[in-house]
Amino acid sequence: MKQIKTLLMLVLLMLTSCVSQHTINRHSYRPDVVHLKMTMDDYEYMGDVTVEAEYKIYLGIFRKVLTINGEPYSPRYRSYTRLTVDPRIRTPHFINRALYKVLDTYPDADYIIPGAYKKVVDHMLGGRIVKEQQTLKVYRLKNAIAQPEVE
């Protein structure tokens, strides 16, 4: 009987030693929420850019890209650009391939607003040809720091 109690105590001791609690305190020196109050007066309008993509859809599942921004598409050389405006706002997949034109046209752009979107579908036997077009407004920050005048 004494051996069973000793064995039971030893098993309980082993089980409690395997379970441990620990607390980790992590201090972050950055705030949880940052509010930057800016208005459209703080931005300089640079211009509009229109991007477009044209592709074919066969039997509803096979897709072949024909042109991106009016140029013949080569799957060997492709680039993707994504606008992270809001996770709920998504740009179409083939428009993402055409967005490089915005950064090529205005490399110092800070703020890009997706604007009008147009989709034209031409139906044909066994598939369709889709033309997507989106206009984007491009802004950059104005120089807010006043430079001292040199006399």
Side-chain angles (χ1 to χ4, degrees):
M1 186 68 163
K2 189 173 184 177
Q3 289 178 343
I4 293 175
K5 283 184 179 180
T6 307
L7 184 63
L8 184 61
M9 290 297 278
L10 184 61
V11 169
L12 288 175
L13 181 66
M14 287 175 56
L15 287 177
T16 57
S17 67
C18 293
V19 178
S20 65
Q21 288 184 334
H22 62 281
T23 304
I24 298 174
N25 292 324
R26 292 189 178 139
H27 298 287
S28 176
Y29 296 107
R30 62 185 172 146
D32 293 335
V33 178
V34 175
H35 293 280
L36 180 62
K37 304 222 185 228
M38 297 183 78
T39 63
M40 291 306 290
D41 294 333
D42 298 324
Y43 290 100
E44 177 184 340
Y45 177 71
M46 297 174 72
D48 289 349
V49 177
T50 302
V51 295
E52 57 187 28
E54 183 178 358
Y55 56 95
K56 289 183 181 181
I57 300 177
Y58 298 104
L59 303 173
I61 56 173
F62 302 108
R63 295 169 192 248
K64 180 182 179 189
V65 181
L66 301 173
T67 62
I68 298 291
N69 293 326
E71 299 174 2
Y73 176 74
S74 173
R76 186 172 187 178
Y77 305 105
R78 61 182 173 190
S79 64
Y80 290 89
T81 305
R82 288 201 178 98
L83 298 179
T84 55
V85 179
D86 188 345
R88 296 170 293 185
I89 300 172
R90 304 191 98 183
T91 54
H93 178 70
F94 294 113
I95 290 293
N96 283 335
R97 292 185 186 183
L99 287 176
Y100 71 88
K101 182 179 177 183
V102 177
L103 297 177
D104 286 349
T105 307
Y106 299 108
D108 54 342
D110 293 318
Y111 190 59
I112 301 169
I113 300 175
Y117 172 75
K118 180 181 178 183
K119 183 176 184 178
V120 178
V121 180
D122 295 329
H123 294 278
M124 59 183 192
L125 185 63
R128 58 186 171 253
I129 297 176
V130 180
K131 296 176 187 174
E132 295 178 334
Q133 189 176 35
Q134 187 167 19
T135 303
L136 300 112
K137 296 189 179 294
V138 182
Y139 296 89
R140 73 173 167 199
L141 290 171
K142 288 182 181 175
N143 190 1
I145 300 172
Q147 300 293 329
E149 294 182 13
V150 179
E151 295 181 9

